Amino acid sequence: MRHLLSLESLSGEDMRSILDQVARYKADRRNHPRPLTGQTWALIFSKSSTRTRVSFEVGLRELGAEVLFLNAGDIQLGRGEPIRDTARVLGRMIHGAVIRTFAQSDVEEFARFSGIPTVNALTDDEHPCQILTDIFTFEEARGERIEGKVVTFVGDGACNVPASWIWAAARLGFELRIAAPKAYQPSPELLARAGGKVSCTEDLQAAATGSDLLYTDVWISMGKEAESAQRLKELAGYRIDDALVARANPGALVMHCLPAYRGKEIDATTLETHADTIFTEAENRLHTQKAIVAWMVA
Ligand code: CP
Ligand code: NVA
């Protein structure tokens, strides 16, 4: 049985098998295979979501499934029922699960105890569906593969989104530069474990020079709200703006996983200039996740 629990657990070959199918799901939303016909899938979310929730609800339905949205606070999980018990109950009733939560170990435990295909829809450690989508979006827009290209991540380099980028860089073979203050760079342990051409710097300008993709994410990830004031102060300046884009290669793309906070991690004008790429990136969550789930149940 296949799960998508992290990009760490995926080979480059698996990533390519998924990415190769996305265009097919995008080309015709109505006439593609419906491998989930007769199944019921659940979304179990402990954190807010717009894109992930809607793209999975719509995508799973278009793959043939019935879908339940379970806010973790509304089920007994939110009152302390262990994840392994929740998993053993749901595993006897439904056919697949999409989970957004805090601890990576909870998604892994759910997969182990439920015995049903399980997707990580964001944890504190990784956001694998997002980064597979981003790579598809880059390759779709540029008409070429990401291998050998330079991706620069700007902002909080220690959160889930850059972590998934690190694993993608290691597995697919592109260069990843993380521009962040020292305290917001990924742990040396993660960098050593992943390998690949990944570098970290506080020098934003140098990191953007010669880049093919400038990418950012919120400075205050879900769960970090108590650190808001400190983060706004310490991450100030780690922003994508037009001057930074001018340092990148001609034709470089600007992407943001969204939601965007204008004037913080991205300048308002720069976001609008690159809105077509950024909102195509958001749309592509739908198509990419269909390819992910179809690969899982194949
Ligand atoms: N990018 C992303 O995952 O957005 P949501 O939090 O709205 O799902
Ligand atoms: N790093 C962000 C991503 C939001 C999609 C967070 O975890 O809140």
Side-chain angles (χ1 to χ4, degrees):
M1 175 175 310
R2 282 174 175 158
H3 305 289
L4 178 62
L5 303 180
S6 60
L7 290 193
E8 175 173 5
S9 60
L10 226 54
S11 66
E13 210 172 69
D14 288 340
M15 291 184 201
R16 275 289 154 217
S17 302
I18 294 167
L19 290 167
D20 285 349
Q21 293 300 314
V22 181
R24 168 195 197 182
Y25 286 96
K26 184 166 183 173
D28 186 347
R29 280 176 64 181
R30 306 287 156 203
N31 292 303
H32 55 60
R34 292 166 62 85
L36 307 187
T37 301
Q39 298 194 4
T40 299
W41 281 55
L43 272 62
I44 307 163
F45 279 38
S46 302
K47 290 176 175 172
S48 304
S49 173
T50 299
R51 282 144 287 271
T52 309
R53 175 177 176 172
V54 175
S55 56
F56 267 112
E57 286 207 32
V58 172
L60 290 167
R61 287 195 181 100
E62 290 182 2
L63 289 174
E66 302 275 347
V67 183
L68 302 173
F69 181 80
L70 303 173
N71 182 329
D74 292 341
I75 58 176
Q76 298 288 6
L77 184 64
R79 296 181 69 244
E81 183 168 23
I83 191 85
R84 63 182 60 191
D85 293 354
T86 307
R88 282 180 283 190
V89 172
L90 294 186
R92 287 163 182 256
M93 298 181 185
I94 61 170
H95 303 92
V98 177
I99 302 180
R100 169 168 285 203
T101 191
F102 296 86
Q104 177 70 23
S105 58
D106 280 356
V107 180
E108 292 180 3
E109 195 169 321
F110 186 96
R112 194 162 70 249
F113 280 88
S114 67
I116 56 176
T118 302
V119 181
N120 173 356
L122 182 147
T123 62
D124 291 344
D125 287 11
E126 279 217 36
H127 197 358
C129 299
Q130 179 71 55
I131 278 55
L132 287 174
T133 302
D134 300 334
I135 292 168
F136 173 79
T137 305
F138 178 88
E139 296 186 342
E140 177 188 48
R142 297 276 302 239
E144 57 183 340
R145 287 199 165 191
I146 201 164
E147 278 87 339
K149 301 292 178 201
V150 178
V151 176
T152 301
F153 181 93
V154 175
D156 175 12
C159 74
N160 42 18
V161 166
S164 289
W165 270 112
I166 288 169
W167 288 106
R171 301 281 192 255
L172 292 178
F174 56 87
E175 182 182 342
L176 176 66
R177 302 172 183 168
I178 296 179
K182 272 267 175 300
Y184 295 88
Q185 292 179 2
S187 72
E189 184 274 327
L190 170 61
L191 293 170
R193 200 149 47 88
K197 204 170 175 196
V198 181
S199 58
C200 299
T201 177
E202 293 195 307
D203 188 342
L204 186 56
Q205 310 297 327
T209 304
S211 180
D212 300 297
L213 168 60
L214 297 181
Y215 191 102
T216 192
D217 179 16
V218 296
W219 287 347
I220 302 159
S221 283
M222 292 179 279
K224 298 289 187 190
E225 292 79 4
E227 300 173 10
S228 293
Q230 187 188 347
R231 284 173 169 263
L232 292 180
K233 201 167 95 205
E234 294 177 349
L235 285 157
Y238 285 86
R239 165 183 310 128
I240 300 180
D241 60 16
D242 288 353
L244 198 71
V245 177
R247 292 195 165 255
N249 282 338
L253 299 180
V254 172
M255 292 175 36
H256 192 312
C257 58
L258 300 175
Y261 291 84
R262 291 160 172 82
K264 303 219 167 38
E265 75 279 358
I266 192 162
D267 174 72
T269 308
T270 310
L271 184 142
E272 293 307 332
T273 304
H274 296 274
D276 187 48
T277 307
I278 291 167
F279 290 99
T280 299
E281 177 189 1
E283 176 198 325
N284 284 341
R285 297 291 303 279
L286 171 67
H287 314 301
T288 306
Q289 289 160 188
K290 282 183 181 175
I292 289 170
V293 171
W295 171 82
M296 285 169 62
V297 301

